[in-house]
Amino acid sequence: RTAYDCAPQRFRAQFLCALNSLMVSQATRNDGCVHESWKAAFAGFPELALWRSFLDALREWAWSPREGAAERREGKSSSWAL
């Protein structure tokens, strides 16, 4: 944890992304279950919970249907397009 705290912020973000990817890949491989040792990682890095909630919100926003999406798919341009 000390090395994480002393690292530049961009490297901390990369570390959290890598740690999250490892956790997700292990959960996928084991039918949604992760090893007991991941609890220590969650306890040591509370930022992981914030990162996971951000990714979930981003995924929900990106995949939710938006107003006017049907017209764009049909080839109609929007009212502001020239």
Side-chain angles (χ1 to χ4, degrees), residues 35-46 48:
H35 288 216
E36 188 72 24
S37 59
W38 281 106
K39 288 184 181 181
F42 278 130
F45 295 96
L48 272 175

Side-chain angles (χ1 to χ4, degrees), residues 3-61:
Y4 173 82
D5 289 334
C6 294
Q9 191 171 10
R10 65 182 181 273
F11 296 136
R12 287 186 253 166
Q14 286 178 345
F15 178 76
L16 287 178
C17 288
L19 194 59
N20 182 58
S21 295
L22 287 171
M23 182 190 64
V24 168
S25 66
Q26 184 180 22
T28 303
R29 187 180 314 140
N30 295 327
D31 297 325
C33 299
V34 293
H35 288 216
E36 188 72 24
S37 59
W38 281 106
K39 288 184 181 181
F42 278 130
F45 295 96
E47 298 89 349
L48 272 175
L50 292 171
W51 180 248
R52 299 276 310 157
S53 63
F54 170 72
L55 287 178
D56 291 341
L58 182 63
R59 189 175 297 115
E60 181 179 330
W61 177 83

